[in-house]
Amino acid sequence: QASYGSKRAFCITPPGPRRGHPTAMSKRVGKLQDYVAHSGRVLCARLGEKSGQVLATGGEDKKVNIWKVGKPNAMMSLQGHTSSVESLVFDKQEEVLVVGCAGGSMQVWNLEYRKMAGTLSGHRTSCGAVEFHPYGEFFASGSADTNLKIWDLRRKSCIQTYKGHTGPITSIRFSPHGRWVATGGQDNQVKLWDLTAGKLMRDLDVHKGPITSIAFHPKEYLLATGSADKTTKLWSLESFQTVASTELGATPVQAVKFWTEDSSLVSASHDALRVYSTDSLCSPQDAMEVDWKGLQDLRLCASEERLIAITAEGTQLGIWVADLRNREAAAVKGPGYGRLHGRPPSSVVKSQAPRYSQRPLSDVEDHDAEQQSLDRAGSGQLGEVRASGQDQIGQQQEGLRPGAYPVSLGPALLQPGSPTTAADAAATPHAAVGMPTSGPPAREPRLPDPAERRAVGSR
């Protein structure tokens, strides 16, 4: 039984960067880990949202391995898939994992018991993207068959199918209020779908290359898209028009993510990690040179002003840390996007979004034990990892600026005509939208009538 290797930690010392120019990779970006994750090529990797310390990987060996960030040995290995694993996603509590496979099927895993809870079929070919709805037991899947499907895990069935892409779907994201879902594909298209009406809302057709990443702003009507055309674009979801675009880069954009605490947008490509103000994408506030390939996922640790990046190259998995501190203060911009929406530039007014809390990555311990066997210890470790992280950011409505998302009605929006009100949803989010709480719904107690009592007595 082979060891997965040992951790290689790097000291990350922040220098004084020149504004807009990448700085030396060794100074502010370091590889925390580099190890063999699968016997075949690693095809996908995803971090959990709740703790930020649970990582799932899928590979050509038809396996899914679950890791703790900073540890070189898998906590558990999930087997039983009939084809290569091409996409995966945790639910918000990191208790359920949905896996998309090359054959078009999807497997749902209960991580507490390390059991496959079911297999869902519906796509004709490779399922390259899966994403959980922000509320309840719904998720979306996108495939090389060009279809987007919405699934209900309670019914274990597809409840909506959307057709419109002319190429494989590569990226899926739900809006924070859960009413819309955005998809990006190899057809260079970004499409915005209305889950309430069950139809296409808008085509966002500007990119000249396949879409690689999509991100909704958590609090404002903004959408960011990254593409293989080497640009990142910012869209207004009020006008459905592009309001900003980066200059043409040297390599394709691999991932985009909003940094709400700093009113910034992070854009990652093959050669650089750049931070832009959401008021203007003309020039970056900060840039760092990187040398990663096969970027799979990003997570911002806002309280520490650090970023975790997960990469895959061949059978190797890489975990990187970028230090976002000591950036040059951004100058107040001239007329830009923020002024169009009646708010000051981000350098003047910071977002009031709550901040993540996470243990410093530098405190990660060395762990050279061999890969642990598949037993109950795996589930126990997973619970401990989740407990070590803070709960996800709540859907807070306080302090929202003009153009911010309204209160969400959750999965009830998938059922047009629902009588649920916003007030009810805010007061009782699960009950208001018809989502079950733990266990089956309770039944009203009923006393048997006299005839039934006599029948029971006679037996």
Side-chain angles (χ1 to χ4, degrees), residues 196-233:
T196 305
K199 64 181 182 180
L200 179 67
M201 276 179 60
R202 293 281 176 154
D203 270 321
L204 308 180
D205 182 13
V206 173
H207 282 291
K208 305 301 181 183
I211 307 304
T212 56
S213 183
I214 298 174
F216 280 93
H217 193 288
K219 288 179 172 287
E220 298 181 49
Y221 280 126
L222 294 174
L223 180 75
T225 55
S227 170
D229 66 8
K230 306 175 185 178
T231 67
T232 297
K233 298 188 185 298

Side-chain angles (χ1 to χ4, degrees), residues 41-362:
R41 283 193 308 133
V42 180
L43 300 179
C44 55
R46 196 76 180 263
L47 286 162
E49 291 289 335
K50 182 179 181 180
S51 67
Q53 298 185 43
V54 179
L55 171 65
T57 61
E60 282 184 336
D61 56 6
K62 305 178 185 179
K63 296 179 182 179
V64 171
N65 290 331
I66 309 296
W67 314 79
K68 179 178 179 180
V69 173
K71 304 293 183 182
N73 302 304
M75 293 189 293
M76 65 178 74
S77 184
L78 310 177
Q79 304 181 41
H81 310 98
T82 57
S83 57
S84 300
V85 175
E86 299 210 342
S87 59
L88 35 73
V89 63
F90 289 98
D91 73 335
K92 296 299 181 182
Q93 298 303 317
E94 298 173 1
E95 296 173 351
V96 176
L97 185 75
V98 172
V99 176
C101 294
S105 66
M106 286 152 290
Q107 282 72 41
V108 181
W109 289 89
N110 183 320
L111 298 180
E112 291 293 329
Y113 298 99
R114 295 183 293 107
K115 289 180 58 178
M116 187 184 292
T119 297
L120 304 173
S121 300
H123 290 295
R124 299 189 299 273
T125 184
S126 174
C127 179
V130 286
E131 190 71 19
F132 263 99
H133 189 275
Y135 303 95
E137 298 177 358
F138 297 91
F139 75 93
S141 63
S143 169
D145 64 11
T146 73
N147 293 335
L148 169 71
K149 291 182 178 288
I150 309 296
W151 302 82
D152 186 339
L153 285 180
R154 298 170 303 177
R155 301 177 186 176
K156 296 184 178 179
S157 63
C158 174
I159 57 176
Q160 290 179 343
T161 298
Y162 296 95
K163 301 176 182 287
H165 280 283
T166 58
I169 293 175
T170 56
S171 184
I172 302 173
R173 287 293 183 273
F174 284 98
S175 64
H177 57 30
R179 301 180 181 187
W180 307 331
V181 60
T183 56
Q186 290 186 12
D187 55 3
N188 309 347
Q189 298 275 330
V190 176
K191 293 181 182 292
L192 197 60
W193 310 87
D194 187 329
L195 297 176
T196 305
K199 64 181 182 180
L200 179 67
M201 276 179 60
R202 293 281 176 154
D203 270 321
L204 308 180
D205 182 13
V206 173
H207 282 291
K208 305 301 181 183
I211 307 304
T212 56
S213 183
I214 298 174
F216 280 93
H217 193 288
K219 288 179 172 287
E220 298 181 49
Y221 280 126
L222 294 174
L223 180 75
T225 55
S227 170
D229 66 8
K230 306 175 185 178
T231 67
T232 297
K233 298 188 185 298
L234 195 63
W235 305 77
S236 166
L237 296 179
E238 295 173 301
S239 65
F240 300 102
Q241 300 293 322
T242 53
V243 293
S245 177
T246 61
E247 296 179 351
L248 190 66
T251 59
V253 175
Q254 296 177 289
V256 293
K257 189 173 287 288
F258 283 102
W259 183 4
T260 55
E261 289 80 3
D262 197 60
S263 298
S264 301
L265 175 67
V266 177
S267 176
S269 59
H270 288 289
D271 66 332
L273 179 68
R274 297 180 173 91
V275 180
Y276 297 89
S277 166
T278 52
D279 292 313
S280 174
L281 303 186
C282 292
S283 62
Q285 295 176 321
D286 190 18
M288 288 164 276
E289 183 180 336
V290 298
D291 189 27
W292 55 41
K293 296 179 181 178
L295 184 63
Q296 299 291 324
D297 200 9
L298 290 178
R299 178 179 168 87
L300 283 161
C301 309
S303 61
E304 300 173 31
E305 296 190 68
R306 293 186 181 185
L307 177 144
I308 306 174
I310 309 298
T311 63
E313 186 175 6
T315 62
Q316 296 288 125
L317 187 75
I319 301 179
W320 303 71
V321 180
D323 197 330
L324 304 179
R325 294 173 296 181
N326 290 359
R327 293 184 296 132
E328 181 177 306
V332 176
K333 308 283 184 185
Y337 173 70
R339 296 177 184 241
L340 296 178
H341 286 258
R343 61 184 175 89
S346 59
S347 57
V348 178
V349 177
K350 299 291 184 181
S351 170
Q352 297 302 313
R355 301 177 74 88
Y356 287 99
S357 177
Q358 185 168 348
R359 294 186 301 181
L361 291 173
S362 57

Side-chain angles (χ1 to χ4, degrees), residues 318-447:
I319 301 179
W320 303 71
V321 180
D323 197 330
L324 304 179
R325 294 173 296 181
N326 290 359
R327 293 184 296 132
E328 181 177 306
V332 176
K333 308 283 184 185
Y337 173 70
R339 296 177 184 241
L340 296 178
H341 286 258
R343 61 184 175 89
S346 59
S347 57
V348 178
V349 177
K350 299 291 184 181
S351 170
Q352 297 302 313
R355 301 177 74 88
Y356 287 99
S357 177
Q358 185 168 348
R359 294 186 301 181
L361 291 173
S362 57
D363 292 343
V364 175
E365 301 174 346
D366 289 325
H367 185 68
D368 296 323
E370 294 189 347
Q371 182 185 11
Q372 300 176 21
S373 60
L374 300 179
D375 53 21
R376 294 183 180 273
S379 299
Q381 289 182 39
L382 185 62
E384 292 174 3
V385 173
R386 282 199 297 264
S388 67
Q390 297 294 323
D391 288 340
Q392 62 184 356
I393 294 178
Q395 298 297 320
Q396 299 187 9
Q397 302 300 320
E398 300 85 356
L400 296 184
R401 294 187 288 272
Y405 288 100
V407 64
S408 171
L409 300 184
L413 294 161
L414 300 179
Q415 305 168 4
S418 170
T420 306
T421 65
D424 294 336
T428 54
H430 292 289
V433 298
M435 290 296 299
T437 54
S438 59
R443 294 182 178 180
E444 284 287 348
R446 183 182 68 85
L447 294 175

